[in-house]
Every structure is written in C-alpha cells, then in structure tokens.
Amino acid sequence: MIEIVAEMLSYAFITRAITVGLLVSLCAALLGVSLVLKRYSMIGDGLSHVGFGALAVATAVNVAPLAVSVPIVVLAAFFLLRISESSKIKGDSAIAIISTSSLAIGVVVISFTTGMNTDVCNYLFGSILAMSKNDVRLSVALAAVVLSLFAIFYNKIFAVTFDETFARATGVNAKLYNAIIAFLTAITIALGMRMMGALLISSLIVFPALTSMRVCKKFKTVTICSSVISIICFLTGIAISYAYNTPTGASVVLLNILAFVLFWLFKSLIHVFKGKNAVSST
Amino acid sequence: MALITCRDVSFSYDGNAVVSGLNFEVRKGDYLCVVGENGSGKSTLIKGLLGLKAPSSGEITIGDGLRRNEIGYLPQQTVAQNDFPASVREVVLSGRLSGRGLSPFYSREDKMTAEKNMSLLGIRDLRDKCYRELSGGQQRRALLARALCAAGKIALLDEPMTGLDPASAKELYLEIEKINREESLAIIMVSHDMRSVAKYAGRILHLRNKQEFFGAAEEYADSDIGSEYMGRARDD
C-alpha cells in the first residue's frame, strides 16, 4: 500500500492531478450541499456540458483550455440562474437546451479540427494527464478564492439555502448570494472537468452532500462531513485507478457511490435498531 | 407616529390590480389580523410590506424608527424546508443575519438573542435537534423564534397556524399574545381562523381585492361585512 503511494507520488503528473483533484473535491462538496438543497443539482450537470463545448473551442483555436472554459462556464452559470429566476422558461428545460446545444457545438468543432479521437473521450470521461504546471497554479489560486468566499459567506449561504423568502424579507440580498453560489460552482466545474470528465464532474457536487445527509442532521456537520467524504473518495479513487489501471474520474465516482450505499445502509440499520427498541420498550 | 402607514396603496401583477385602496396604519404594540378569502390579496400585501413587491400606486411609509430589515417574518411553510438538515439553533440564529451587514460571523449578542427567543418559545431544549424531525408545532415555534430574532418592533405572521392541530395552535396563539403584550411587539397576522381572530385581534383589516374594513375588532363584529364573514366562518 505504502509502496504504491510512494510510487504514485514519484510521478509529477500524478502529484499535479492529486493537488487539483483534492481542491476540486473540497470545493465541489462544499457547494454541493447548497446546490442539492436548493434543488439546483442539474445546474452542475448543465455547466459541465457547457464546459465540454468550451474545451473543444479552446483546442480548435489553440489557447489554454482553462482561459476559455472558466469565463464561458461562469457566463453560462449566470445565464442559467437568470432563467431559473425569471420562470418564463422553466429551469430544467433551460438546462437541457443549453447542455445539449453546447455538446452539439463541441462535437462539430472537434470534428472540424482534430476529428473524433481520444481527445473527445478524454473530454467526456476525464484524463489524469490533463493538468499542466500552469493549470495547477491557476487551479490553486481559483480554489483559494472559492474556499475563502464560501467561508466568508457561509452564514448567508445557509440563510439563502434554507429559506430564500425569509432571507430576502429581512434584507439579505438573496440574488447576490445565489449569483455567488453559481459563480463558485462554475469555477469548480471548469477546474475539475478535464480530470473528472464532462459527463462525470457533477457527481462530485451531488454525491457527497446526499451521502452525508443520510446521517448528519445539522447544516454544519453536513458541510464538514461532505468535504471529508469527498476527499477520502477522491484519494482512494485515484489510488485504485493507479493500482488497477482504471479511468480516474469513473473510479472516483464509483467510490462516491460506494460511500453513499454504505451511509444509506448505516442509516437503515439505525432505523431498524431504533424500531426494535421502541417495540420492545412499549 | 405609526410603524407602518399605507396610503391609497394598490398592488398589481402584470397590470392587473390584485388589491387596491389600502389605507391603514400599524402602531407599536398593535395586534392586527388580516382576513379575507383566498386570492383576496393578503399574501400580496404581506410581500408589499416586506418590500418584496413594490406597490403599483400609493405609498407605504415606515416610521417610528423602524427599519425595513427589522420586520420579523414567519412565512407559510414551504415543502423544501421539510427535509433540510439544520439544527434548531442554526435556523433561529439565521434570523439575526439582517443585522449583521457585511460582517461574516455571528456575534455574542446575536447568539444571546437567539437563546433568549428559544427560551421564550419553550424550544431551548430542542436547540441541537434536527429541524426536520420536529413536530409541526415545534417547527412553527422555531420559525417564530427566528422571526423574533429579526424583529425589532413588528412581526408579520403569514397563516402561522396552517397544519397545526387545535391544541398546538391554541398554545401558539397564547404565546404570540404574550409576546405582543409583554414585549409590545406589533403583530400583523394573516389568518383564516375567525374564532381566534375574534378572540385575539386588536384590529382587523378585511380584504376582498380592495379594503373592505379596517378598524377595531369590536366594531368589525358589529359591521355588516364582519358579522356576515364571521357568521359564515362559524357555520363552516
């Protein structure tokens, strides 16, 4: 076990992937709690498809992928939020329209340039080789922004997530905080997408929150528990992917599924035991 | 000086007037019940008073040192809240956010106010319990405690008794009356429960897409619309 870890860390591309992956897992887990509770999980999924389109365009015009995908995904996030709020088109159909459009644009652009090859596969399902040194620097900086904004606005994010009407009624600028949540989500997705894959990145947002909500009962403990679960799943996932030569993104997602099932079983067991005690005590 | 004064206020959605001709005021320590059938404009009025919806004409003045973010608000129960992982303390504390401005964390004073309001409503023992595991009555108390945390001088309660059994509703009515009297906190309550309205309200505002009645509860019982409406409610 230790040998494998030491061997992994001797490769520079793996340490880069681990650095970025840890930060992305942490950010995604924190934001995921709010997104899941606000019923915004699909926004994460929609944004990752937008990111796919952006990556394809970036490759076609030969510029740094993050420099293109971060601003485009952020713009798409604000756009999706505006649409969900205006309620003329329902949020879920808006997301479906935008994500399929971006996929279509991405695929056409790719077919014009490199053709359908391993690149497409890497965009869709992630590649551990994706991170360059510059990417790591940018990722660390952006992750620092996400984490510090989340910490500063934690109480407000709680209020806006729990009861937006009340928050607005007492003078909290709910629109601003919704926009902040969308902004941070967009950055996180753009950062994690190339390693995790456009089709898989949104699981990093949804799973840890859902898993910890099986067992935890306070917003704070759910937040902390999600981050810990996310980090553990990522580290184990990347180790397994190295040891058994499985795709990194998919391995991490599989571990998240495993964690969810374990927590769910644990909760069910508690229920059964409590039920039995209640019966025997009456 | 009144806390809230409405002068010829009307509200409309997409150009269609929902409620118009509103002329009333709320003073310190008032207990005002807003009554009327579904769709008569009660909830729209509440939104207007909270500053969530601008009046299409007329003027809402806020006075007597009241600031807009000092209005405590108890919203109607929404579905989303029912599976939310949050402790009672986290929920109640969030009522203090409006006074926080830009500073990110709660102060000692915020925490003390939250504790005080939880004691006041008898839910201090539940402070570490999960909000979604509380009974309907306890949840309503937690939200009322949150409203009190935000309230300086006035609290807006939008159908606070919906879904409560008669015993819990009665307890909550007594609790609200006590707070109204002892803390001289003005209460504006939207309610369909005419028997309790008659019992607790100091003044009544009756809406039917316009203001049908505003005045003391005793006068309302004697008025045509009041006796008709209360009689009908009694027959139900």
Side-chain angles (χ1 to χ4, degrees), chain A residues 37 39 151-152 154-156 158-159 161-163 165-166 168-170 213 216-220 222, chain B residues 52 69 73 75 81 83-87 90-91 97-98 101 103-104 106 128 130 132-133 146 150:
Chain A
L37 289 168
R39 312 287 189 264
I152 291 172
Y154 169 80
N155 285 321
K156 273 146 188 149
F158 168 80
T161 309
F162 180 69
D163 190 345
T165 321
F166 176 84
R168 280 169 61 204
T170 50
M213 275 161 63
C216 301
K217 292 176 177 177
K218 292 184 189 177
F219 192 74
K220 197 177 255 172
V222 168
Chain B
L52 300 179
N69 63 7
Y73 174 49
Q81 289 164 9
D83 60 350
F84 201 98
S87 69
E90 284 177 319
V91 172
L97 260 189
S98 55
S103 93
Y106 295 116
D128 289 321
C130 178
R132 67 180 166 200
E133 287 170 359
R146 178 184 68 168

Side-chain angles (χ1 to χ4, degrees), chain B residues 145-204:
Chain B
R146 178 184 68 168
L148 293 182
C149 279
K153 291 161 179 156
I154 188 162
L156 275 172
L157 316 178
D158 195 356
E159 300 189 27
M161 307 308 168
T162 317
L164 296 191
D165 60 80
S168 324
K170 193 182 170 208
E171 269 181 43
L172 201 55
Y173 271 120
L174 291 173
E175 218 72 76
I176 292 170
E177 194 198 18
K178 192 177 97 186
I179 294 162
N180 171 246
R181 228 182 22 236
E182 287 175 8
E183 319 265 318
S184 66
L185 182 81
I187 303 279
I188 301 180
M189 186 193 291
V190 174
S191 179
H192 286 293
D193 176 5
M194 290 313 291
R195 203 165 302 165
S196 304
V197 168
K199 195 165 167 195
Y200 298 105
R203 290 173 192 238
I204 287 173

Side-chain angles (χ1 to χ4, degrees), chain A residues 107-167:
Chain A
V107 170
V108 169
V109 169
I110 289 172
S111 73
F112 271 132
T113 52
T114 54
M116 303 294 256
N117 54 16
T118 43
D119 277 1
V120 184
C121 191
N122 284 345
Y123 293 159
L124 289 176
F125 303 109
S127 160
I128 194 172
L129 299 168
M131 291 291 143
S132 73
K133 261 188 192 153
N134 272 334
D135 288 343
V136 175
R137 273 189 219 120
L138 191 59
S139 302
V140 171
L142 286 177
V145 172
V146 173
L147 292 175
S148 43
L149 283 181
F150 187 87
I152 291 172
F153 294 125
Y154 169 80
N155 285 321
K156 273 146 188 149
I157 288 175
F158 168 80
V160 172
T161 309
F162 180 69
D163 190 345
E164 192 171 321
T165 321
F166 176 84

Side-chain angles (χ1 to χ4, degrees), chain A:
Chain A
M1 182 69 196
I2 297 168
E3 275 171 40
I4 293 178
V5 173
E7 200 181 308
M8 277 171 71
L9 292 178
S10 67
Y11 294 102
F13 75 93
I14 295 185
T15 41
R16 286 203 294 270
I18 290 180
T19 317
V20 176
L22 273 180
L23 290 169
V24 168
S25 311
L26 186 59
C27 296
L30 293 174
L31 293 165
V33 177
S34 189
L35 290 172
V36 166
L37 289 168
K38 281 174 90 67
R39 312 287 189 264
Y40 277 177
S41 318
M42 281 308 289
I43 287 188
D45 202 49
L47 290 182
S48 58
H49 291 82
V50 174
F52 171 80
L55 276 188
V57 173
T59 318
V61 295
N62 209 7
V63 283
L66 278 179
V68 177
S69 59
V70 169
I72 289 184
V73 176
V74 167
L75 274 180
F78 286 137
F79 186 63
L80 281 178
L81 200 66
R82 274 296 287 278
I83 287 181
S84 322
E85 277 170 0
S86 76
S87 78
K88 289 260 155 75
I89 304 181
K90 283 278 164 268
D92 57 344
S93 15
I95 292 169
I97 289 172
I98 289 177
S99 57
T100 45
S101 316
S102 323
L103 268 183
I105 293 172
V107 170
V108 169
V109 169
I110 289 172
S111 73
F112 271 132
T113 52
T114 54
M116 303 294 256
N117 54 16
T118 43
D119 277 1
V120 184
C121 191
N122 284 345
Y123 293 159
L124 289 176
F125 303 109
S127 160
I128 194 172
L129 299 168
M131 291 291 143
S132 73
K133 261 188 192 153
N134 272 334
D135 288 343
V136 175
R137 273 189 219 120
L138 191 59
S139 302
V140 171
L142 286 177
V145 172
V146 173
L147 292 175
S148 43
L149 283 181
F150 187 87
I152 291 172
F153 294 125
Y154 169 80
N155 285 321
K156 273 146 188 149
I157 288 175
F158 168 80
V160 172
T161 309
F162 180 69
D163 190 345
E164 192 171 321
T165 321
F166 176 84
R168 280 169 61 204
T170 50
V172 174
N173 188 345
K175 277 201 175 146
L176 172 71
Y177 295 106
N178 280 338
I180 288 176
I181 294 172
F183 174 68
L184 301 181
T185 310
I187 292 183
T188 307
I189 284 176
L191 289 183
M193 200 179 60
R194 279 183 306 149
M195 188 163 61
M196 290 294 297
L199 294 182
L200 297 171
I201 179 74
S202 57
S203 67
L204 282 192
I205 289 180
V206 180
F207 265 116
L210 281 181
T211 304
S212 51
M213 275 161 63
R214 292 313 99 198
V215 174
C216 301
K217 292 176 177 177
K218 292 184 189 177
F219 192 74
K220 197 177 255 172
T221 46
V222 168
T223 310
I224 295 169
C225 185
S226 305
S227 344
V228 174
I229 291 173
S230 187
I231 287 174
I232 291 175
C233 287
F234 174 76
L235 289 177
T236 330
I238 203 167
I240 286 176
S241 112
Y242 179 79
Y244 297 99
N245 208 9
T246 51
T248 314
S251 312
V252 173
V253 176
L254 279 181
L255 275 157
N256 271 300
I257 298 173
L258 183 68
F260 178 80
V261 172
L262 285 178
F263 272 62
W264 178 71
L265 279 177
F266 179 70
K267 191 203 171 188
S268 309
L269 279 179
I270 288 179
H271 257 285
V272 170
F273 271 112
K274 271 192 181 163
K276 268 190 185 156
N277 285 344
V279 170
S280 59
S281 65
T282 45

